[in-house]
């Protein structure tokens, strides 16, 4: 702390300690309690604030107020009662007048110069000089113009006065004016509130939020205090109203003034607490202050009724007053909520509003927008964005292309949200609610996070339905594509079967049939020649024998193309090896020898064979290859077939007439797959896989 703060701290501790000790020694515990309940709270708060913020001028004013207030109590009934009949009594009275005026002036400075603690214009400096001059001169002015001195700035009526040792009879006519100035000096506190109100009007919004706590709470406490003072001056200490005021108005005054001051200091960060925590504490202090005021008001009316009537009536009055003041208390709590957290809906209203919007069943395109707009308006945000997480299984965007609902002002893409809350359904993260800053500049706090959590929970079911609808849409799309592919595949299979039948018909018509016709003609001619004894008939029979041999070979080729007998008799590997001998391009077959002892279901063997045959036919027709490698492997429950050539290669993306669609369709029948790896100038690799059901082992 600063040296001046140390001086006030030590002096205030000495004054409070002395007052309590003297009162307890002389058997006046009520006055000791008054010392602890009056100046002590202001002194202790000022001391704590000075410890945390020694450079803050406002807390020095507070410490000075508490210290001078403590000295006023100590010099008054505690010390003055000991020296009342001694020559030192006038000196103590004058000192008490100076200290009492100083305490009031310090309170005025605390209020009127808050929160900076220093004058900011010529008017404020003039007020300070005027008040300071009165503090210095009024006790002397009263001493020379009155034969007897007031025992304090706010004496009780009929209280014994102390003779003034410096009274000047010629100035006696000015005595009433001096008394009036002393008794109404506290009106300068009202001037302090007027100065604070002017500061409020010309301040920025952030500073206004700080000032208004002291302005409203302090003004209410000031009114309650003045009501107590004037009741004492007008009615006397024995009046019922004064006694009720002591029980109700003074605690209410301390609660309102000190509570509003604490809120203002916490809001300014005097006690080293971060801003969200300060706001929560300010909110709780305001609720406590409102609760204390409610209790004091109800209890005061009950006590007043007890003085005027029976105890039963007093209880009924207190209960009735408490119930009657509940709406006022609720309204004040709403005002406190708005002051602390800014203009926003309360949690219940926000949840109710969003629930009503969900009951209206907004479509997928409106749900996110509704949620974003509800959050933005409810918390008074600059912007709100709702992002939904894409389904990890389908990659679907549940609410449109970007799965985002936005409300508020346009923001930069890189702007970070001030608060983010996750939308969860069970253990699954469905999305996030991202909030921009508050429009009034306040920071979002933990209460806002909890409220958003409730909203997210309320929206989770609806958002989950969006995900289910998106997943269903994706599934339906897949089914439609699969149905279209199946239809196209069936059409290609039918077209392929027709083409195969036409090829067989063409081979029989152009080949076998022509050879049969020619052989028939030669057989007739040979019969005629033999009948005539022409030796050339034997030559025709020899040619016919040769032609029938060729015809038999062609018939075997046709039958082999339809279904090779070796495939049925000896299995897939033997058929592939037999095909190597018939291929005009050198072909190497690589396979696990154990496959010779394995037979697969006929459908699998036929599909594998015809797929290999089609692939080899493409190599012969299009690849211009020098070497072909074929490999057969069984890996687990899948049969792998690979055809690799060193031919010219091609672009798979542009290949439409090389029989690849037919190969794919043939493999699709059994759930197989085809992959093509090729490029111009580096050959082609066709990799085929066929799932196996239950391979049937056969004897070697």
């Amino acid at each position: 702390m600063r040296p001046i703060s140390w001086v006030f701290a030590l002096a205030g501790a000495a004054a409070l300690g002395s007052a309590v000790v003297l009162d307890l020694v002389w058997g006046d515990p009520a006055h000791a309690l008054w010392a602890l309940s009056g100046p002590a709270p202001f002194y202790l708060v000022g001391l704590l604030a000075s410890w945390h913020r020694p450079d803050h001028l406002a807390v020095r004013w507070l410490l000075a107020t508490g210290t001078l207030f403590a000295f006023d109590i100590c010099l008054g009934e505690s010390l003055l009662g000991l020296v009342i009949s001694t020559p030192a009594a006038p000196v103590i009275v004058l000192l008490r007048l100076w200290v009492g005026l100083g305490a009031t002036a310090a309170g005025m400075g605390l209020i009127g110069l808050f929160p900076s603690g220093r004058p900011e214009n010529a008017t404020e400096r003039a007020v300070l000089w005027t008040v300071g001059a009165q503090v210095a001169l009024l006790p002397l002015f009263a001493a020379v113009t009155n034969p007897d001195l007031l025992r304090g700035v706010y004496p009780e009526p009929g209280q014994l006065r102390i003779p003034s040792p410096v009274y000047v009879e010629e100035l006696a006519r000015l005595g009433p004016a001096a008394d009036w100035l002393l008794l109404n000096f506290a009106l300068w506190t009202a001037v302090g509130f007027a100065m604070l109100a002017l500061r409020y009007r010309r301040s920025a919004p952030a500073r206004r939020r700080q000032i208004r706590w002291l302005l409203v709470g302090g003004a209410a406490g000031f009114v309650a205090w003045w009501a107590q003072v004037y009741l004492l001056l007008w009615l006397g200490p024995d009046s019922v109203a004064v006694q009720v005021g002591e029980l109700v108005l003074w605690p209410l005054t301390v609660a309102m003034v000190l509570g509003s001051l604490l809120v203002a200091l916490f809001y300014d960060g005097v006690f080293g607490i971060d801003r969200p925590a300060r706001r929560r504490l300010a909110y709780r202090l305001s609720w406590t202050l409102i609760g204390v005021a409610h209790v004091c008001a109800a209890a005061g009316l009950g006590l007043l009724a007890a003085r005027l009537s029976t105890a039963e009536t007093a209880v009924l009055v207190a209960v009735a007053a408490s119930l009657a003041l509940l709406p006022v208390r609720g309204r004040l709590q709403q005002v406190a909520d708005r002051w602390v957290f800014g203009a926003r809906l309360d949690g219940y209203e926000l949840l109710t509003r969003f629930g009503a919007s969900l009951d209206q069943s907004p479509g997928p395109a409106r749900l996110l927008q509704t949620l974003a707009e509800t959050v933005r308006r409810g918390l008074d945000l600059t912007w709100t964005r709702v992002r939904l997480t894409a389904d990890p299984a389908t990659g679907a965007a549940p609410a449109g292309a970007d799965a985002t609902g936005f409300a508020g002002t346009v923001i930069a893409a890189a702007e970070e949200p001030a608060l983010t809350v996750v939308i969860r359904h069970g253990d699954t993260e469905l999305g996030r609610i991202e909030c921009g800053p508050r429009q009034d500049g306040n920071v979002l706090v933990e209460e806002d996070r909890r409220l958003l959590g409730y909203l997210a929970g309320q929206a989770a079911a609806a958002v989950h339905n969006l995900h289910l609808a998106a997943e269903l849409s994706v599934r339906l799309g897949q089914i439609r594509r699969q149905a279209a592919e199946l239809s196209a595949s069936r059409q290609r299979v039918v077209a392929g079967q027709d083409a195969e039948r036409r090829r067989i018909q063409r081979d029989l018509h152009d080949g076998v049939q022509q050879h049969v016709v020619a052989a028939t003609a030669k057989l007739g001619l040979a019969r005629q020649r033999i009948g005539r004894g022409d030796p050339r008939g034997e030559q025709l029979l020899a040619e016919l024998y040769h032609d029938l041999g060729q015809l038999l070979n062609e018939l075997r080729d046709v039958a082999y193309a339809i279904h090779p007998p070796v495939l049925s008799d000896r299995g897939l590997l033997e058929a592939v090896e037999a095909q190597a001998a018939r291929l005009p391009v050198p072909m190497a077959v690589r396979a696990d020898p154990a496959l010779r002892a394995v037979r697969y279901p006929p459908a699998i063997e036929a599909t594998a064979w015809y797929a290999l045959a089609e692939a080899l036919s493409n190599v012969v027709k299009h690849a211009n290859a020098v070497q072909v490698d074929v490999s057969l492997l069984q890996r687990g429950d899948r049969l792998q077939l690979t055809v690799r050539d060193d031919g010219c290669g091609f672009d798979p993306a542009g290949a439409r007439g090389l029989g690849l669609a037919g190969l794919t369709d043939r493999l699709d029948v059994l759930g197989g797959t085809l992959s093509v790896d090729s490029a111009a100038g580096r050959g082609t690799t066709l990799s085929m896989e066929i799932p196996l059901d239950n391979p049937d082992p056969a004897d070697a």
Side-chain angles (χ1 to χ4, degrees):
M1 292 191 300
R2 299 293 179 88
I4 186 64
S5 299
W6 278 111
V7 171
F8 281 119
L10 296 175
L16 282 174
S18 300
V20 172
V21 169
L22 289 174
D23 289 334
L24 293 178
V25 168
W26 291 103
D28 193 359
H31 196 266
L33 181 62
W34 158 244
L36 293 175
S37 64
F42 294 93
Y43 167 77
L44 293 175
V45 172
L47 183 63
L48 182 61
S50 297
W51 183 267
H52 281 277
R53 288 288 299 276
D55 58 333
H56 201 294
L57 292 180
V59 301
R60 296 185 200 173
W61 283 103
L62 176 58
L63 182 59
T65 302
T67 299
L68 293 173
F69 191 4
F71 262 103
D72 180 60
I73 298 298
C74 180
L75 293 173
E77 301 303 325
S78 299
L79 184 59
L80 187 58
L82 298 178
V83 298
I84 190 67
S85 59
T86 67
V91 177
I92 298 299
V93 169
L94 283 175
L95 286 176
R96 187 187 183 190
L97 288 175
W98 271 308
V99 170
L101 295 177
T104 303
M108 188 275 293
L110 169 65
I111 295 169
L113 304 181
F114 191 82
S116 65
R118 59 170 55 90
E120 297 177 353
N121 53 52
T123 301
E124 292 179 349
R125 284 190 289 272
V127 170
L128 285 182
W129 279 107
T130 302
V131 173
Q134 290 194 48
V135 170
L137 298 177
L138 265 182
L140 291 177
F141 181 53
V144 298
T145 58
N146 282 282
D148 299 313
L149 294 174
L150 292 174
R151 293 178 56 175
V153 179
Y154 313 108
E156 295 180 2
Q159 190 179 54
L160 179 64
R161 291 195 174 202
I162 303 298
S164 173
V166 292
Y167 169 65
V168 178
E169 187 175 357
E170 289 77 6
L171 300 177
R173 67 179 65 183
L174 299 178
D179 285 348
W180 187 91
L181 289 174
L182 283 175
L183 294 175
N184 292 277
F185 187 81
L187 290 175
W188 283 105
T189 308
V191 175
F193 281 109
M195 293 167 56
L196 187 63
L198 292 175
R199 283 196 171 192
Y200 179 84
R201 290 191 59 184
R202 62 175 182 264
S203 295
R207 197 183 187 192
R208 282 187 174 187
R209 285 192 297 272
Q210 183 180 359
I211 291 176
R212 63 189 175 195
W213 291 102
L214 184 58
L215 181 61
V216 175
F222 175 75
V223 171
W225 176 65
W226 261 105
Q228 181 183 2
V229 170
Y230 279 112
L231 284 175
L232 178 64
L233 293 176
W234 292 343
L235 303 179
D238 297 327
S239 170
V240 174
V242 171
Q243 294 176 6
V244 171
E246 291 178 351
L247 294 173
V248 177
L249 293 180
W250 175 247
L252 188 61
T253 300
V254 174
M256 286 189 293
V257 175
L258 194 59
S260 61
L261 186 59
L262 277 172
V263 170
L265 292 177
F266 274 119
Y267 209 92
D268 195 31
V270 168
F271 295 99
I273 304 175
D274 58 26
R275 189 173 180 185
R278 293 200 303 268
R279 292 177 61 200
R280 291 194 297 271
L281 187 56
Y283 181 67
R284 291 163 186 166
L285 281 174
S286 63
W287 271 59
T288 302
L289 179 62
I290 293 169
V292 170
H294 181 202
V295 171
C296 289
L301 292 174
L303 291 173
L304 182 60
R307 296 287 183 140
L308 301 176
S309 183
T310 63
E312 291 79 4
T313 304
V315 172
L316 292 176
V317 169
V319 172
S322 180
L323 294 176
L325 291 173
L326 280 177
V328 178
R329 177 176 178 175
R331 181 58 182 168
L332 290 175
Q333 288 172 341
Q334 291 179 0
V335 172
D337 180 273
R338 183 175 296 272
W339 275 12
V340 176
F341 298 109
R344 65 173 193 172
L345 298 176
D346 62 70
Y348 177 78
E349 185 178 357
L350 183 58
L351 292 172
T352 302
R353 179 173 296 186
F354 182 62
S357 65
L358 289 181
D359 290 340
Q360 298 173 3
S361 300
R366 290 291 306 163
L367 177 62
L368 302 182
Q369 186 70 23
T370 299
L371 176 57
E373 186 64 28
T374 301
V375 173
R376 188 194 70 81
R377 290 185 177 181
L379 298 181
D380 194 30
L381 305 174
T382 55
W383 61 267
T384 303
R385 179 171 52 212
V386 181
R387 294 181 182 271
L388 296 191
T389 305
D391 191 327
T394 63
D402 55 359
T404 300
F406 181 80
T409 57
V410 178
I411 61 171
E415 183 173 348
E416 291 295 328
L419 178 62
T420 300
V421 174
V422 177
I423 303 174
R424 292 187 182 277
H425 187 270
D427 295 331
T428 305
E429 179 179 330
L430 302 180
R432 294 170 178 268
I433 302 176
E434 299 175 347
C435 301
R438 294 281 301 272
Q439 292 195 33
D440 57 9
N442 282 330
V443 179
L444 293 168
V445 294
E446 189 61 30
E447 283 81 358
D448 300 316
R449 180 181 293 277
R450 284 198 291 269
L451 182 57
L452 284 175
Y454 297 145
L455 275 177
Q458 198 173 16
V463 174
H464 182 60
N465 290 337
L466 288 185
H467 277 274
L468 293 179
E471 183 178 355
L472 178 60
S473 177
V474 171
R475 299 295 184 191
L476 290 175
Q478 291 176 345
I479 292 173
R480 292 191 186 98
R481 288 193 299 271
Q482 291 173 353
E485 292 174 358
L486 179 60
S487 176
S489 176
R490 287 178 175 176
Q491 292 176 2
R492 290 194 298 269
V493 169
V494 171
Q497 290 175 346
D498 291 341
E500 187 67 15
R501 285 193 291 268
R502 286 193 298 270
R503 184 187 66 78
I504 295 173
Q505 185 272 337
R506 185 172 59 252
D507 290 344
L508 291 175
H509 180 273
D510 296 342
V512 175
Q513 182 177 335
Q514 297 301 323
H515 284 90
V516 171
V517 171
T520 302
K522 282 186 178 183
L523 181 60
L525 182 60
R527 181 181 180 185
Q528 291 177 2
R529 287 181 179 179
I530 291 174
R532 294 195 303 267
D534 190 343
R536 290 180 299 175
E538 294 292 337
Q539 181 181 357
L540 284 175
L541 288 176
E543 292 178 0
L544 180 59
Y545 180 80
H546 182 269
D547 290 344
L548 289 175
Q550 290 182 341
L551 176 60
L552 180 60
N553 289 334
E554 288 189 14
L555 285 173
R556 287 174 177 170
D557 288 341
V558 172
Y560 193 90
I562 295 174
H563 191 83
V566 67
L567 181 63
S568 300
D569 297 340
R570 306 185 64 180
L572 179 60
L573 180 56
E574 300 284 353
V576 173
E577 291 176 340
Q579 182 69 9
R582 303 169 62 88
L583 202 68
V585 179
M587 172 178 160
V589 179
R590 297 178 175 83
D592 186 349
L595 291 180
R596 294 184 186 279
V598 177
R599 293 301 303 272
Y600 300 102
I604 292 178
E605 290 186 341
T607 299
W609 160 254
Y610 286 112
L612 282 169
E614 183 68 26
L616 293 173
S617 176
N618 285 338
V619 172
V620 173
K621 292 179 182 179
H622 307 291
N624 297 324
V626 177
Q627 177 68 34
V628 179
D629 293 330
V630 176
S631 65
L632 280 78
L633 295 173
Q634 180 179 336
R635 296 187 182 278
D637 60 350
R638 301 188 73 83
L639 180 64
Q640 297 180 349
L641 306 96
T642 305
V643 178
R644 184 180 294 105
D645 67 71
D646 58 358
C648 60
F650 64 95
D651 181 9
R656 293 292 182 269
L658 301 181
L660 296 181
L663 272 176
T664 301
D665 293 338
R666 191 180 292 274
L667 293 169
D668 279 344
V669 173
L670 297 180
T673 60
L674 170 69
S675 62
V676 181
D677 181 15
S678 182
R682 68 173 180 85
T684 302
T685 299
L686 298 181
S687 300
M688 296 166 278
E689 286 192 359
I690 301 174
L692 302 175
D693 293 328
N694 293 307
D696 300 324
D699 294 333

